[in-house]
């Protein structure tokens, strides 16, 4: 199957799929409690493999293909066309989403930019994975930084003629390429190596939709993707009362999971969470997968309070989440310090600048103050929710995705 897909013509014996490969073990370990268990050694191995394994294929991602009319990808992603990402396959048949560096670490998103035209940042994807793991959500696919040789590891291994056609050598003798799509098909939007090496993030793929179907659901707190429009939640402070009457937010833990996601997005400054995905096998109480975090960490100088609207309007939070946040607010476990240490593991360290790390501490205090205000207004019993599914569940891969 792989030989056919990759159009390999070598007479050598085909490579054998190893069941002990880290990406296979990652897929097998997905459970109803998260993408990986807290004590799993598989994630560390997967990060190392994505950082060092040679690529054997490169291609556009599904949303770029949808823009080009090459596939019907509406059930996977919504095409945007304003960013560039590629699918890289490795010699062990694993694959990862590659997002190249578009901005320098110390660049902030301009204040006049709308959130839906902001660049996607490779270091935001890396940092989001580490933060998600520190928060013990375990809902972001493993992501690692890598220096990619765009000539040897993309141009020379791709079979896609369109992708081949967008490579060029800049006046500075650097190898560059750009997105082939209706919106940003200009060389000034290209990304360039130095002269061949380019920073990027690699995020492990989830299992095929054929093996593990996922549901894409509009976020109840979706933003208006227009220049002047506003959604109901932005003008109605009682909006959550309406949401709580609607399935599945009226009976399951889905609303609490939405609030978890809002807390995560507020910490990273991500305003672009228009949809969320879930594995259908785990039902209404399954965890929300925190995909596509590259529009986070754009502005360390501003805290976008509207991202916290699910928490401030609903005044509910999981006890487990709150206890974890309170721990990370203590001096000996300060969130910025834990993040700084965790990010040292990455090849592209420093992943975040110091102002972004300090912004995490500031935003954490805002979250805790919001919860405190809710408790004062409604009482602790009505605000802090004990989540039986999370509290009593063993941290293992039992009841996993592929059992």
């Amino acid at each position: 199957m792989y030989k056919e897909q990759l159009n390999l013509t070598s007479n050598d014996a085909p490579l054998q799929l190893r069941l002990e490969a880290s990406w296979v073990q990652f897929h097998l370990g997905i459970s109803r409690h998260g993408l990986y268990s807290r004590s799993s050694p598989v994630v560390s191995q997967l990060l190392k493999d994505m950082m060092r394994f040679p690529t054997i294929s490169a291609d556009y991602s599904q949303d770029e293909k949808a823009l080009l009319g090459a596939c019907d990808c509406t059930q996977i992603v919504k095409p945007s066309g304003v960013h560039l990402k590629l699918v890289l396959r490795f010699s062990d048949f694993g694959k990862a989403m590659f997002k190249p560096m578009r901005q320098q670490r110390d660049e902030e998103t301009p204040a006049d930019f709308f959130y839906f035209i902001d660049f996607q940042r490779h270091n935001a994807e890396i940092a989001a994975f580490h933060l998600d793991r520190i928060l013990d959500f375990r809902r972001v696919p493993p992501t690692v930084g890598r220096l990619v040789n765009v000539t040897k590891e993309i141009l020379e291994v791709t079979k896609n003629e369109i992708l081949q056609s967008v490579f060029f050598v800049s006046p500075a003798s650097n190898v560059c390429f750009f997105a082939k799509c209706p919106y940003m098909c200009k060389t000034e939007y290209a990304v360039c190596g130095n002269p061949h090496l380019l920073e990027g993030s690699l995020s492990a793929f989830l299992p095929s939709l054929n093996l593990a179907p996922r549901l894409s659901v509009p976020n109840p707190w979706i933003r208006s993707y227009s220049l002047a429009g506003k959604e109901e939640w932005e003008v109605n402070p009682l909006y959550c009362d309406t949401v709580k009457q609607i399935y599945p937010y009226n009976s399951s833990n889905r609303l609490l999971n939405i609030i978890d996601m809002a807390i995560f997005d507020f910490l990273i400054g991500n305003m672009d969470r228009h949809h969320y995905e879930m594995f259908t096998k785990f039902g209404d109480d399954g965890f929300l997968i925190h995909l596509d975090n590259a529009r986070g960490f754009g502005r360390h100088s501003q805290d976008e309070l509207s991202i916290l609207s699910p928490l401030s309007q609903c005044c509910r939070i999981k006890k487990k989440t709150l206890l974890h946040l309170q721990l990370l607010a203590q001096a000996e476990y300060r969130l910025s310090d834990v993040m700084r240490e965790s990010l040292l593991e990455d090849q592209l360290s420093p992943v975040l600048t110091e102002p972004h790390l300090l912004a995490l501490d500031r935003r954490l205090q805002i979250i805790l103050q919001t919860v405190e205000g809710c408790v004062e207004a409604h009482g602790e019993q009505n605000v802090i929710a004990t989540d039986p599914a999370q509290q009593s569940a063993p941290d293992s891969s039992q009841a996993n995705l592929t059992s």
Side-chain angles (χ1 to χ4, degrees):
M1 179 184 70
Y2 277 98
K3 289 187 70 173
E4 291 176 358
Q5 286 185 353
L6 300 175
N7 194 26
L8 299 179
T9 57
S10 172
N11 293 322
D12 296 339
L15 295 170
Q16 296 299 310
L17 175 64
R18 299 181 302 109
L19 293 181
E20 66 272 20
S22 57
W23 66 270
V24 178
Q25 293 303 311
F26 164 57
H27 289 175
L28 292 174
I30 297 173
S31 76
R32 64 177 64 255
H33 312 306
L35 290 175
Y36 52 91
S37 66
R38 190 178 302 124
S39 57
S40 171
V42 172
V43 171
S44 295
Q45 187 59 50
L46 179 58
L47 295 175
K48 292 177 183 176
D49 291 345
M50 288 194 295
M51 191 170 61
R52 64 185 176 88
F53 274 12
T55 60
I56 61 172
S57 173
D59 202 352
Y60 284 117
S61 65
Q62 298 286 19
D63 46 355
E64 272 87 7
K65 285 186 175 181
L67 284 163
L68 293 168
C71 72
D72 178 11
C73 310
T74 55
Q75 297 304 310
I76 305 172
V77 284
K78 304 298 184 290
S80 61
V82 296
H83 56 273
L84 174 59
K85 54 188 180 182
L86 300 174
V87 178
L88 303 185
R89 292 181 183 270
F90 304 113
S91 56
D92 69 339
F93 298 134
K95 62 179 179 178
M97 184 70 74
F98 172 68
K99 294 187 179 180
M101 183 174 76
R102 304 299 299 262
Q103 284 184 313
Q104 298 297 323
R105 303 283 199 280
D106 56 354
E107 287 185 271
E108 272 202 286
T109 299
D112 290 329
F113 267 36
F114 285 95
Y115 46 87
F116 48 83
I117 62 171
D118 192 9
F119 278 128
Q120 296 217 357
R121 287 166 283 277
H122 71 302
N123 60 317
E125 290 283 11
I126 301 165
F129 162 69
H130 285 259
L131 177 63
D132 173 84
R133 185 168 58 172
I134 289 168
L135 294 173
D136 199 33
F137 288 155
R138 291 170 280 129
R139 301 167 196 169
V140 173
T143 304
V144 71
R146 175 166 169 167
L147 278 171
V148 172
N149 186 313
V150 297
T151 301
K152 292 183 179 298
E153 299 181 283
I154 297 178
L155 177 59
E156 292 181 2
V157 298
T158 184
K159 301 296 188 295
N160 188 311
E161 293 181 357
I162 297 177
L163 179 55
Q164 292 171 345
S165 71
V166 297
F167 274 79
F168 64 96
V169 177
S170 74
S173 300
N174 295 321
V175 179
C176 308
F177 63 101
F178 56 92
K180 186 71 172 178
C181 62
Y183 307 117
M184 294 178 69
C185 303
K186 299 179 180 179
T187 57
E188 54 263 43
Y189 296 116
V191 293
C192 299
N194 184 26
H196 300 277
L197 294 180
L198 175 66
E199 278 191 23
S201 64
L202 288 171
S203 300
F205 262 67
L206 296 174
S208 162
L209 292 174
N210 294 326
L211 296 174
R214 301 194 303 272
L215 187 66
S216 179
V217 184
N219 186 348
W221 278 267
I222 191 172
R223 294 178 181 275
S224 171
Y225 282 73
S226 65
L227 300 182
K230 286 188 177 293
E231 296 292 331
E232 183 183 349
W233 65 268
E234 297 178 270
V235 296
N236 178 10
L238 302 178
Y239 175 75
C240 186
D241 292 340
T242 302
V243 175
K244 287 189 287 189
Q245 304 303 315
I246 302 171
Y247 171 84
Y249 306 105
N250 58 353
S251 59
S252 65
N253 281 331
R254 186 77 65 89
L255 184 57
L256 289 170
N257 288 336
I258 290 281
I259 293 169
D260 275 352
M261 184 171 67
I263 289 170
F264 174 72
D265 282 335
F266 177 69
L267 286 170
I268 69 175
N270 177 27
M271 300 173 65
D272 193 37
R273 189 74 65 186
H274 44 80
H275 284 71
Y276 61 86
E277 292 193 19
M278 305 173 63
F279 290 109
T280 58
K281 174 166 183 170
F282 300 142
D284 289 343
D285 280 329
F287 64 91
L288 312 187
I289 309 169
H290 297 168
L291 293 173
D292 291 333
N293 304 297
R295 286 198 168 118
F297 296 104
R299 299 190 68 194
H300 55 73
S301 58
Q302 177 183 350
D303 304 323
E304 183 54 55
L305 296 178
S306 64
I307 304 174
L308 267 188
S309 292
L311 173 62
S312 59
Q313 292 181 357
C314 299
C315 272
R316 294 280 281 171
I317 187 172
K318 290 179 186 177
K319 182 177 182 180
K320 173 181 179 290
T321 300
L322 179 59
L323 290 174
H324 217 86
L325 295 174
Q326 290 172 335
L327 178 67
L328 292 167
Q330 297 181 18
E332 60 267 41
Y333 299 106
R334 187 177 287 112
L335 177 55
S336 60
D337 293 338
V338 179
M339 269 290 282
R340 189 181 296 106
E341 182 177 350
S342 181
L343 290 171
L344 288 175
E345 302 171 6
D346 196 89
Q347 182 186 44
L348 301 184
S349 178
V351 175
L352 292 179
T353 60
E354 195 64 19
H356 279 296
L357 290 169
L358 297 179
L360 291 172
D361 295 329
R362 185 179 68 242
R363 291 166 185 168
L364 176 56
Q365 289 301 320
I366 292 173
I367 295 169
L368 294 176
Q369 290 166 9
T370 303
V371 174
E372 184 178 341
C374 287
V375 169
E376 290 177 359
H378 304 285
E380 183 175 315
Q381 186 176 359
N382 295 317
V383 174
I384 303 173
T386 300
D387 179 6
Q390 293 284 350
Q391 298 295 324
S392 61
D395 186 43
S396 69
S397 297
Q398 295 177 358
N400 64 10
L401 191 67
T402 53
S403 61

